[in-house]
Amino acid sequence: MPRFSIIVPSHGVAGRLSQALDSVLGQSFGDLQLIPVCDAPDAPAAAVAAGRAERDSRVTPVHSPPSAGLSGARNAGMRAATGAYLLFLDGDDLLLPGALAALDARLAETGGVDVLYAEHERAPWWEGEPTNPAAPLLTGAPEGAFAPADLPELTGVHLPAWSAVHRRAFIAEHGLTFPDGCFTDLGWGGLAGIAAERIAVLRRPVVRHRLRRQGSRLNLPGPHQHALLDQVERVLTRAAERGLPVERTGPLFDQLFAVVLKTASRPERLPAGHRAFFRRAARLHRRHRPAGHPLPAGSLGVQHRLLAAGAYAAFRALRGANRAAGGAARRLPRPHMLRTRLRYARDLRRPLDPRLAVYCAYWGRGYTCNPAAIHAKARELAPHIRSVFLVEAGQEHTVPRDVEYAVIGSRRYWEVLARATYLVNNANFAEGVVKRPGSVHLQTQHGTPLKTMGVDQSAYPVVAARSGSFTKLLGRVDRWDFNLSSNRHSTQMWERAFPGSYEHLEYGYPRNDVYYTATARDVARIRRALGVPEGKTAVLYAPTHRDHHTGFEPGLDPEAFCAAAGDDVVVLLRAHYFYDRGPARSSGRIIDVTAHRSAEDVCLAADALVTDYSSIMFDYANLDRPIVVYADDWDVYRETRGVYFDLPAEPPGLVARTPEALAAVFRDGSYAGREAGALRAAFRERFCQFDDGQAAERVVRRVLLGEPPEAVPPVIPLAERIPAPAAATLVRS
């Protein structure tokens, strides 16, 4: 049997689950069983767990429905466990390097204790130093194994389940399971601490607990707060049944009621039923307070006495007095807004316009991308909604004549932002834009993430230095109500990169609808407009931006590529949109399409795509046309920018590392051969999940028309989709 069984629930943390599992599988001590617990076989986390299981026989995925909660997931994992010791790890936390080796060594030293308590790190999301909250609790513990009576303050109540290792035979002997409901860690820790006869401590962190940006779910208001008293009653009743002496029940009582009083002093956590919570807590306090046990001194002791007396009104008054001083600072006058936003402040006091929608793309660069596609569909399906597109000064010409627009920074810009009910953007609105109650913000994104995004960039100094304040970024994320995704990979990475309370819409990218609705006539028209010569093979070369470069530095010489690839090849050169304001680079067989407003048109015109690490490959894959990855500096890019998966190992087509190899695959035709086709098919299966030509309709119906999720058109299976036809040159070849 393995030494350790590590149980990892995954509900709601699919985006970070891979990191948690890899932190276990990468341990230097390998005698383990890893048990990821997923909601269902088709849940987002199940694919992550299945991938690890295919590569490592130590991984044993199991399933537990979301309705069973965290306790049900952990209990399901325990039923599948075969290890001598059980270790619990949340799906968005990490097992620190060397943790299992340290735990194994300590268990060998202490001779098979029932529970081994260990320290853990409490780490912020993206910046700040980790803390070690368990260290003070374990400081006074004896050096070897000891009985709980030797350190009665170590009750298990203050330690989460993943800050301890439990002997599986001990758990089975006492029939211990995680109690149902919320606050299950408190119940589990108390029950295990009561049952244990020999315990020990390890004075080093073994788990890095990564705080959720949204905070603990247990701190949210709602009826689940009453479950706290269920757990307290369960633990204290078990202690009474075991006949524990007052030396042990006293600390247990104090620690449990410290948590109860913390909740009781926050009536906002119980908008309904706060008085009932207080009264039940008072009954438990009177029933379970150990005989002769002294109450704490100071303000905490006053709270204990008021609770024991059931003095609800006095308790509320005390709570109000304690908060009065803290509120004084918040009542100090705030600085006035800038003069240019005074009108905006006035307009914020006016009611929202339920028939006004505001759109913006790429910080106002023009009428393009997902916002433009949604806008066009909204005019068809929701004509009663007035739409205004935001553009920066000098880009007014990019907006179609029949589309209403406002110039960023103008008086009208601030007015529509203040009054609009619907706000749609593929980047973010300005820092000063206020999220009004009742308004709906839709973040459409503008690509599938290969490179790290959002707070994940904080680990890469080159890009982090240019990203600005992550605190301000997350403040903008807080405005989102919906976030659009074109594949499950994106959903998981957005969850990691932009932690927030928004809802994921796995509807596909509206801008990609045209890849399934365009006709052969559309393709021919676009090629003529771009100047693609008749009968030529148009290769779109679209390199991405390098954060460690100061400007556009293509890694490929397009002229040399054309000369080596064949006489029938022309190159459509499209630099990253950061460089769309410079002079055109067209010459000979090179057609510069960087400034062309529609990336979708350019893709439709191309017979094949050559890119390095640009997200355009994910969109272009919808066309089911050849893609070649030119990865001449992959190692440098991966180290400086950070990536979410190994592109050369899972590419959308052939991979070339040198200009000569790239030209060769076009010269011999292998870029469109059987091997390339097989790679592209696997890539499309993974990354073209939700793009089917109906994404814009799904978004408009759900967000602007308010239709329920089950009413929007379902996603058409990949095998049934028909992409826009390629140009005749590729069809003939």
Side-chain angles (χ1 to χ4, degrees), residues 13 32 43 67 199 282 316 322 452 619:
V13 294
L32 62 91
S67 59
I199 60 177
R316 289 289 300 270
N322 288 340
T452 54
D619 305 310

Side-chain angles (χ1 to χ4, degrees), residues 274-569:
H274 183 259
R275 187 184 294 271
F277 179 94
F278 185 88
R279 288 176 175 171
R280 183 184 172 196
R283 291 194 297 271
L284 290 174
H285 192 284
R286 291 191 293 268
R287 184 187 313 151
H288 290 285
R289 178 186 173 188
H293 178 63
L295 295 177
S299 175
L300 182 59
V302 174
Q303 293 181 54
H304 269 272
R305 290 175 175 84
L306 293 176
L307 180 65
Y312 180 73
F315 187 90
R316 289 289 300 270
L318 176 65
R319 178 249 180 198
N322 288 340
R323 293 202 170 188
R330 293 191 293 272
R331 289 194 296 272
L332 292 174
R334 288 175 171 269
H336 293 290
M337 282 188 167
L338 296 174
R339 181 174 298 179
T340 55
R341 297 186 181 178
L342 288 176
R343 292 185 182 274
Y344 179 58
R346 181 200 65 187
D347 289 333
L348 286 172
R349 295 192 293 270
R350 299 169 62 189
L352 289 172
D353 184 343
R355 297 191 173 189
L356 176 60
V358 170
Y359 298 82
C360 189
Y362 296 117
W363 306 277
R365 287 174 175 262
Y367 185 83
T368 185
C369 197
N370 290 318
I374 296 170
H375 172 271
K377 183 58 69 171
R379 298 176 77 181
E380 173 190 335
L381 298 179
H384 62 286
I385 295 180
R386 172 189 166 213
S387 299
V388 179
F389 223 92
L390 305 180
V391 292
E392 60 183 358
Q395 294 301 304
E396 298 91 335
H397 66 281
T398 69
V399 183
R401 292 184 178 180
D402 59 344
V403 173
E404 187 177 353
Y405 68 88
V407 175
I408 291 176
S410 67
R411 171 182 171 182
R412 191 154 170 274
Y413 163 82
W414 289 109
E415 179 185 359
V416 295
L417 280 175
R419 301 290 313 284
T421 295
Y422 307 100
L423 295 96
V424 181
N425 207 327
N426 74 347
N428 261 308
F429 287 101
E431 195 68 42
V433 173
V434 174
K435 174 68 165 73
R436 297 185 61 182
S439 66
V440 178
H441 283 237
L442 169 65
Q443 168 60 257
T444 75
Q445 303 294 348
H446 51 271
T448 290
L450 167 62
K451 59 189 177 186
T452 54
M453 303 293 290
V455 296
D456 284 341
Q457 297 173 352
S458 62
Y460 298 90
V462 172
V463 64
R466 300 186 178 188
S467 299
S469 167
F470 289 110
T471 301
K472 291 182 178 179
L473 167 66
L474 294 174
R476 295 190 289 270
V477 170
D478 283 340
R479 299 190 299 224
W480 302 355
D481 294 291
F482 298 104
N483 183 46
L484 207 55
S485 175
S486 60
N487 49 64
R488 191 62 51 76
H489 162 82
S490 293
T491 304
Q492 296 174 8
M493 296 309 104
W494 298 146
E495 178 187 312
R496 279 177 47 177
F498 303 113
S501 57
Y502 52 83
E503 178 183 347
H504 290 287
L505 296 182
E506 293 183 323
Y507 286 175
Y509 279 162
R511 72 180 185 191
N512 292 344
D513 285 353
V514 69
Y515 296 143
Y516 296 98
T517 60
T519 65
R521 181 174 297 179
D522 294 325
V523 173
R525 172 183 52 79
I526 296 168
R527 286 169 68 92
R528 287 195 300 271
L530 294 177
V532 178
E534 188 73 26
K536 296 293 185 180
T537 298
V539 176
L540 172 59
Y541 174 47
T544 192
H545 169 66
R546 302 293 197 280
D547 295 280
H548 54 285
H549 289 176
T550 57
F552 178 60
E553 301 178 26
L556 179 70
D557 182 343
E559 291 281 5
F561 167 74
C562 282
D567 294 337
D568 65 332
V569 171

Side-chain angles (χ1 to χ4, degrees), residues 22-293:
D22 290 345
S23 74
V24 175
L25 297 175
Q27 291 285 312
S28 58
F29 184 93
D31 187 12
L32 62 91
Q33 176 194 26
L34 176 58
I35 308 175
V37 186
C38 307
D39 293 344
D42 59 347
V48 178
R52 299 305 186 279
E54 290 175 2
R55 300 195 295 268
D56 197 317
S57 60
R58 298 175 296 172
V59 182
T60 308
V62 299
H63 302 108
S64 176
S67 59
L70 176 61
S71 59
R74 286 175 172 167
N75 290 335
M78 285 199 292
R79 289 191 293 271
T82 60
Y85 289 90
L86 302 177
L87 175 64
F88 302 96
L89 182 69
D90 282 356
D92 52 354
D93 292 343
L94 301 174
L95 198 61
L96 292 171
L100 291 185
L103 289 169
D104 175 68
R106 185 61 175 154
L107 288 169
E109 290 173 4
T110 54
V113 293
D114 296 329
V115 183
L116 173 63
Y117 295 104
E119 297 175 0
H120 64 272
E121 291 182 355
R122 218 164 162 262
W125 264 97
W126 72 100
E127 59 186 14
E129 292 298 319
T131 59
N132 187 341
L137 298 173
L138 308 184
T139 298
E143 288 300 318
F146 58 92
D150 295 335
L151 188 65
E153 293 78 16
L154 187 56
T155 66
V157 167
H158 280 334
L159 291 171
W162 33 261
S163 199
V165 174
H166 301 81
R167 186 166 57 87
R168 187 165 64 90
F170 155 73
I171 297 299
E173 176 187 350
H174 292 275
L176 294 177
T177 60
F178 280 87
D180 292 339
C182 296
F183 302 94
T184 188
D185 274 23
L186 184 144
W188 168 267
L191 295 175
I194 291 170
E197 296 180 1
R198 294 182 73 252
I199 60 177
V201 302
L202 172 63
R203 294 188 185 90
R204 64 155 281 179
V206 297
V207 169
R208 176 172 295 144
H209 172 57
R210 298 192 287 185
L211 295 172
R212 296 173 186 268
R213 198 215 150 210
Q214 304 92 320
S216 171
R217 298 186 183 102
L218 299 180
N219 293 334
L220 296 176
H224 66 278
Q225 295 291 344
H226 290 277
L228 170 61
L229 299 182
D230 296 337
Q231 305 290 6
V232 169
E233 184 171 19
R234 181 177 286 114
V235 172
L236 290 175
T237 299
R238 180 69 59 85
E241 293 171 350
R242 290 287 299 269
L244 294 186
V246 67
E247 291 78 15
R248 290 191 61 190
T249 55
L252 184 64
F253 177 87
D254 288 344
Q255 293 175 21
L256 289 171
F257 272 92
V259 181
V260 171
L261 287 168
K262 184 176 180 180
T263 299
S265 64
R266 290 171 170 79
E268 66 275 8
R269 292 187 182 179
L270 286 157
H274 183 259
R275 187 184 294 271
F277 179 94
F278 185 88
R279 288 176 175 171
R280 183 184 172 196
R283 291 194 297 271
L284 290 174
H285 192 284
R286 291 191 293 268
R287 184 187 313 151
H288 290 285
R289 178 186 173 188
H293 178 63

